[in-house]
Amino acid sequence: MALAFDEYGRPFIIIREQDKKSRLRGLDAQKANITAGKAVARILRTSLGPKGMDKMLQSPDGDVTITNDGATILEQMDVDNQIAKLMVELSRSQDYEIGDGTTGVVVLAGALLEQAEKLLERGIHPVRIAEGYEMASRIAVEHLEHIAQKFEYSVSNIEPLVQTCMTTLSSKIVSRCKRTIAEIAVKAVLAVADLERKDVNLDLIKVEGKVGGKLEDTELIYGILVDKDMSHPQMPKRIEDAKIAILTCPFEPPKPKTKHKVDIDTVEKFQTLRHQEQKYFNDMVQKCKDVGATLVICQWGFDDEANHLLMHHNLPAVRWVGGVELELIAIATGGRIVPRFQELTPEKLGKAGIVREKSFGTTKDRMLYIEQCANSRAVTIFIRGGNKMMIEETKRSLHDALCVARNLIRNNFIVYGGGSAEISCSIAVESGADGYPGVEQYAIRSFAEALDSIPMALAENSGLQPIETLSAVKSQHIKEKTPFCGIDCNDVGTNNMQEQFVFETLIGKRQQILLATQVVKMILKIDDVISPSDY
């Protein structure tokens, strides 16, 4: 307890004794934080690279997730320690900004923390370490931009984009048909991309999945896929040159809003009410027919009588379509969403070349395909797979591939994968360290060593001798002065990543180094941890 005395000599307490709280100070606090960060990185380390392992996570509800996507693993993990939560945030921010490289960024941060621990034991002040790391990350990023290559692609030549997406997918479960999925991802992104503004709105790409079929059956639909069927089994299953009315108002007679009571004491009154309702509904259907609609898509439902009348009037309809899907249908078909029947006009109808219902397997599973739309700026990727987990993991892998394609359209510079960029940066940082006379040069050298941990993890996960492999590749880098040599994870026989077509986006790599450095600097600057006691 810290006591102080005021000018009259009366004692007062400055800091109350933290007996109810545990407290770590100085080096102990830093070491505890570093251990927590390293523990998280160690979990993800085995998931890195094409031969990385998957993790199986079970939620309290019993839902099982099988994945090797770093951000997903950390999201699902129940993390208690505050520093470990920082690592979760780190992978999440990489996921939001870049979409790919979520595992690598955590592994790099873990390696930096490990190196920092050795420096702290030598008695170097954490602030000096943080400054050294900052200098080193600047050298590394500059070097990355120096070795990056411009990547020429066009709408007619999409091969470069496909190759880069294949690199992302090679570490996922779907790697056996990565070519097909990479092509689907690139075509989907190019379909919705605004190439003049170099911008891609990924919300326009809808990803649907259905269990059954094999992964190779995954397809790209230039249009919208809705997991619904026609409301009546006898409605036509295929409509060509469809004019679509998109409604967000219920397709049924209006219900009085206030609390009310209708007394019907004779059959005639009931008949009148029924006829009134039927007339009202007939008018609705007629209104749709008059404006020229050949298909009605409604956000709400309608009862069986309404369904029968629609069938009778030969107006196909789909009910209970979600709001997000309605928006996408409106974007794709060039239609307008109509909130009131009175506002329905021929200009507000969407146009689609073909609307067809397709059934799957032997079950009653049916889906609606809306294709050849007036505006093909909304597309759907339809995934098939043997089980639910496969489909979920394919969706996550596809998200990474879509993000990579989007990043290349934004900034078409690439670096080479397989750990070659990290090794090249590590050599550059190592040689740059000699230019700094202060204690920082130790930290800069440690940064270079930490960069080596990514190729090292790649080699470990591929079953190679990590130290031998890394030192061989490193000496090759220095001898030949090429930034293309990486770890030959797939045992192709060459470690030239240019020949293996293993590419990564420059902005993804740059973001990894910057984010990992930022988080590590933040963790190093914490020297006092006060946590509430456990009951």
Side-chain angles (χ1 to χ4, degrees):
M1 192 168 354
L3 267 183
F5 296 91
D6 61 9
E7 62 269 36
Y8 301 112
R10 290 178 302 209
F12 64 91
I13 297 167
I14 295 176
I15 300 175
R16 185 171 287 286
E17 195 56 66
Q18 310 279 332
D19 55 343
K20 293 278 184 290
K21 298 187 175 185
S22 58
R23 184 169 182 183
L24 286 171
R25 299 185 197 186
L27 211 54
D28 289 343
Q30 276 143 354
K31 283 194 179 163
N33 292 345
I34 287 172
T35 309
K38 272 163 45 184
V40 174
R42 204 172 300 129
I43 293 168
L44 288 195
R45 197 181 162 97
T46 52
S47 294
L48 193 69
K51 296 280 190 281
M53 296 295 184
D54 291 359
K55 306 279 180 264
M56 182 163 155
L57 302 144
Q58 191 172 1
S59 74
D61 312 340
D63 291 341
V64 175
T65 309
I66 299 175
T67 179
N68 73 357
D69 177 47
T72 312
I73 295 170
L74 292 180
E75 287 276 319
Q76 304 267 350
M77 252 168 39
D78 197 5
V79 178
D80 208 23
N81 184 292
Q82 293 308 317
I83 298 296
K85 281 182 184 166
L86 278 180
M87 299 296 254
V88 176
E89 289 281 318
L90 167 70
S91 78
R92 193 184 298 155
S93 59
Q94 175 80 10
D95 197 31
Y96 282 166
E97 191 62 31
I98 303 295
D100 182 32
T102 48
T103 314
V105 70
V106 177
V107 173
L108 180 58
L112 286 170
L113 286 171
E114 209 166 311
Q115 293 297 329
E117 192 170 27
K118 293 175 188 167
L119 294 174
L120 286 171
E121 278 167 4
R122 287 190 190 171
I124 297 175
H125 194 278
V127 171
R128 304 303 288 272
I129 299 174
E131 281 170 7
Y133 276 181
E134 181 64 34
M135 293 167 186
S137 76
R138 235 173 292 150
I139 300 171
V141 169
E142 270 171 32
H143 183 69
L144 264 185
E145 284 166 4
H146 172 63
I147 61 171
Q149 294 191 346
K150 201 171 171 83
F151 216 49
E152 293 307 334
Y153 66 89
S154 63
V155 182
S156 52
N157 172 27
I158 59 168
E159 188 57 30
L161 294 173
V162 175
Q163 294 287 3
T164 316
C165 286
M166 277 165 64
T167 304
T168 301
L169 293 171
S170 61
S171 64
K172 310 283 185 214
I173 258 180
V174 296
S175 58
R176 66 189 170 88
C177 50
K178 60 183 176 186
R179 172 98 219 172
T180 327
I181 291 185
E183 280 176 9
I184 286 175
V186 170
K187 284 176 185 164
V189 167
L190 284 173
V192 302
D194 185 339
L195 291 174
E196 285 161 22
R197 274 181 41 229
K198 289 197 168 189
D199 191 33
V200 180
N201 181 3
L202 288 182
D203 289 342
L204 295 176
I205 301 174
K206 185 172 177 236
V207 182
E208 274 284 341
K210 204 145 196 69
V211 175
K214 52 188 189 295
L215 202 55
E216 283 81 357
D217 296 339
T218 299
E219 56 182 335
L220 173 66
I221 297 152
Y222 287 99
I224 299 294
L225 188 68
V226 187
D227 196 357
K228 294 274 177 275
D229 52 358
M230 295 292 185
S231 60
H232 195 291
Q234 287 169 325
M235 284 177 179
K237 303 283 180 247
R238 183 186 177 95
I239 306 164
E240 296 195 5
D241 290 329
K243 304 228 175 354
I244 305 170
I246 306 167
L247 305 174
T248 53
C249 43
F251 215 129
E252 50 194 24
K255 308 254 187 303
K257 293 280 189 292
T258 54
K259 288 223 168 112
H260 66 290
K261 192 160 143 243
V262 179
D263 286 329
I264 296 175
D265 44 12
T266 63
V267 177
E268 286 77 20
K269 281 186 183 172
F270 182 72
Q271 294 285 17
T272 319
L273 181 70
R274 192 171 155 279
H275 282 308
Q276 192 61 42
E277 285 198 351
Q278 202 165 348
K279 178 179 177 303
Y280 190 89
F281 192 77
N282 275 337
D283 289 349
M284 280 182 169
V285 176
Q286 202 50 50
K287 175 85 176 144
C288 291
K289 299 283 279 187
D290 290 345
V291 293
T294 56
L295 172 66
V296 174
I297 293 181
C298 187
Q299 189 172 8
W300 305 103
F302 28 82
D303 50 24
D304 292 343
E305 189 182 357
N307 212 355
H308 163 74
L309 280 168
L310 284 166
M311 174 66 217
H312 182 69
H313 284 284
N314 209 356
L315 182 63
V318 186
R319 54 185 164 184
W320 299 121
V321 178
V324 178
E325 286 163 335
L326 273 185
E327 281 178 27
L328 284 170
I329 292 170
I331 291 168
T333 58
R336 298 281 292 278
I337 296 175
V338 180
R340 278 196 199 89
F341 270 97
Q342 292 77 13
E343 294 176 14
L344 198 57
T345 58
E347 301 82 64
K348 291 187 179 174
L349 298 180
K351 294 179 184 58
I354 186 164
V355 176
R356 60 194 173 96
E357 193 182 281
K358 188 175 172 185
S359 53
F360 297 98
T362 54
T363 56
K364 295 193 184 70
D365 268 350
R366 295 192 194 89
M367 290 179 109
L368 264 191
Y369 284 64
I370 303 173
E371 294 173 298
Q372 297 170 16
C373 303
N375 170 14
S376 64
R377 286 294 300 277
V379 296
T380 306
I381 298 172
F382 183 43
I383 298 170
R384 304 303 307 274
N387 56 30
K388 190 163 146 259
M389 279 162 232
M390 190 75 188
I391 286 175
E392 289 303 313
E393 178 62 359
T394 309
K395 279 185 182 175
R396 282 189 285 270
S397 311
L398 246 173
H399 170 259
D400 283 13
L402 291 170
C403 289
V404 165
R406 184 195 69 177
N407 291 339
L408 275 177
I409 286 174
R410 278 177 164 180
N411 175 348
N412 58 346
F413 278 93
I414 53 131
V415 291
Y416 289 88
S420 61
E422 281 87 353
I423 297 173
S424 187
C425 285
S426 163
I427 295 166
V429 171
E430 184 75 61
S431 60
D434 301 338
Y436 293 91
V439 182
E440 284 86 0
Q441 67 165 284
Y442 283 100
I444 296 174
R445 288 214 170 87
S446 297
F447 191 97
E449 230 168 286
L451 280 171
D452 286 344
S453 70
I454 287 192
M456 188 94 95
L458 283 175
E460 265 170 40
N461 294 345
S462 308
L464 304 167
Q465 289 291 331
I467 297 173
E468 282 174 32
T469 316
L470 180 63
S471 43
V473 174
K474 219 167 178 182
S475 69
Q476 196 177 340
H477 260 265
I478 295 170
K479 218 179 290 170
E480 298 174 12
K481 295 205 166 26
T482 55
F484 315 136
C485 302
I487 307 290
D488 180 16
C489 298
N490 292 327
D491 223 7
V492 181
T494 166
N495 56 15
N496 186 334
M497 292 296 142
Q498 215 168 4
E499 289 168 25
Q500 278 200 33
F501 299 116
V502 179
F503 307 128
E504 294 192 50
T505 55
L506 168 67
I507 44 180
K509 264 289 163 259
R510 188 171 60 201
Q511 190 81 354
Q512 270 188 348
I513 291 176
L514 292 174
L515 282 177
T517 313
Q518 273 178 17
V519 168
V520 170
K521 278 175 60 186
M522 186 171 167
I523 293 172
L524 284 176
K525 286 189 173 177
I526 300 170
D527 78 327
D528 204 337
V529 181
I530 302 173
S531 44
S533 65
D534 298 327
Y535 291 108

